[in-house]
Amino acid sequence: MDYTYRDIARMIDHSLLSPALTDEELERGCRIARDYGVASVCIKPYYLKRCAEILQGSDVLPSTTIGFPHGGHTTATKVAEAKQALDDGGIELDMVVNIGKVLSGDWAYVRDDIRAVVEITHERGGMVKVIFENCYLQDEHKIRLCEICAEVGADFVKTSTGFGSGGATIEDLKLMRKYSPPHVQVKAAGGIRTLDALLEVRAIGVTRVGATRTVEILEECKRRLGIV
């Protein structure tokens, strides 16, 4: 094996974004993420403050979404969401681009929209993952978004919300890695349900995945590594 348990666990953002999740399920999900030592919990915004309390004292980071899931919020609303999330203890913010503006080719708007969230988040020591929602885009859009994210200092580019018509594909991940500079990391979301799927994207340079089947993935990792 060319990986340790921690290598794999620290690639996972445990996703708690389903609209039907109850408070009890969110609480339990945060505790699972802490017990398994993943990278972060990505949780519905209203529960972020409680999530940060649960994760306090661990190295699992609280995170949430901005402009979710369609990206059509005004820039001012996205900035306000980011400020609230940071006030509530958020460290990593997953923001959705304005998909309609991308398809319209209004790149100045798209750049300013991303830049505004990146700037307020970086001022407070946080990180931003920019969600493209690739299922609606052509390669030319994805490439231009990679260029813009590099230009404005985004920390990650991310394939999907998990709520669009498609999730992460190997072809998209290779393209995003190719057109992003080394300091911009790539996150795969939507469809990473097994350890083998995670290892496949890891091999092409993906450093983070969004996952709901965290327990299954990490229990399989333990089994293969012979961890009791």
Side-chain angles (χ1 to χ4, degrees):
M1 304 288 185
D2 67 343
Y3 56 84
T4 65
Y5 174 85
R6 182 172 172 80
D7 291 336
I8 302 305
R10 299 300 291 175
M11 283 186 65
I12 294 177
D13 288 345
H14 186 49
S15 179
L16 296 171
L17 297 173
S18 170
L21 286 173
T22 65
D23 289 356
E24 181 180 351
E25 290 168 324
L26 294 173
E27 181 94 3
R28 184 165 61 247
C30 291
R31 296 193 183 284
I32 286 171
R34 180 173 177 139
D35 289 345
Y36 279 85
V38 300
S40 84
V41 174
C42 193
I43 200 162
K44 292 189 280 189
Y46 87 91
Y47 212 78
L48 179 61
K49 192 170 186 178
R50 174 60 185 151
C51 172
E53 291 173 354
I54 296 169
L55 300 179
Q56 195 168 18
S58 75
D59 60 359
V60 181
L61 301 176
S63 65
T64 192
T65 56
I66 305 296
F68 210 73
H70 303 305
H73 303 56
T74 64
T75 300
T77 299
K78 289 180 177 177
V79 169
E81 282 188 296
K83 288 179 178 176
Q84 182 67 57
L86 295 161
D87 286 346
D88 288 346
I91 302 295
E92 297 188 347
L93 306 182
D94 291 34
M95 74 160 288
V96 189
V97 300
N98 188 314
I99 300 162
K101 282 291 193 183
V102 171
L103 292 170
S104 300
D106 191 347
W107 297 114
Y109 182 100
V110 172
R111 181 187 300 106
D112 290 346
D113 191 51
I114 298 170
R115 190 199 308 271
V117 174
V118 168
E119 285 183 349
I120 187 65
T121 306
H122 283 181
E123 283 174 10
R124 304 268 297 270
M127 299 177 71
V128 177
K129 304 165 192 151
V130 180
I131 305 171
F132 292 4
E133 201 68 304
N134 284 340
C135 59
Y136 301 121
L137 307 180
Q138 302 298 314
D139 284 355
E140 65 192 69
H141 301 123
K142 303 164 197 170
I143 293 168
R144 188 73 189 103
L145 281 170
C146 287
E147 294 169 348
I148 288 173
C149 286
E151 178 185 331
V152 304
D155 302 283
F156 283 83
V157 292
K158 175 178 171 182
T159 56
S160 334
T161 62
F163 294 89
S165 59
T169 69
I170 294 298
E171 293 74 20
D172 277 347
L173 292 166
K174 286 180 176 176
L175 179 142
M176 292 166 78
R177 184 62 279 162
K178 178 179 179 181
Y179 287 96
S180 299
H183 66 274
V184 178
Q185 300 181 65
V186 178
K187 175 177 173 179
I192 309 299
R193 300 185 179 92
T194 66
L195 177 59
D196 285 330
L198 183 149
L199 293 174
E200 184 177 15
V201 300
R202 180 176 183 264
I204 58 174
V206 170
T207 54
R208 199 75 71 83
V209 303
T212 56
R213 298 189 183 181
T214 301
V215 172
E216 291 93 328
I217 292 170
L218 291 177
E219 285 298 328
E220 175 63 12
C221 180
K222 288 180 179 179
R223 188 190 68 77
R224 293 190 194 180
L225 292 171
I227 299 172
V228 178

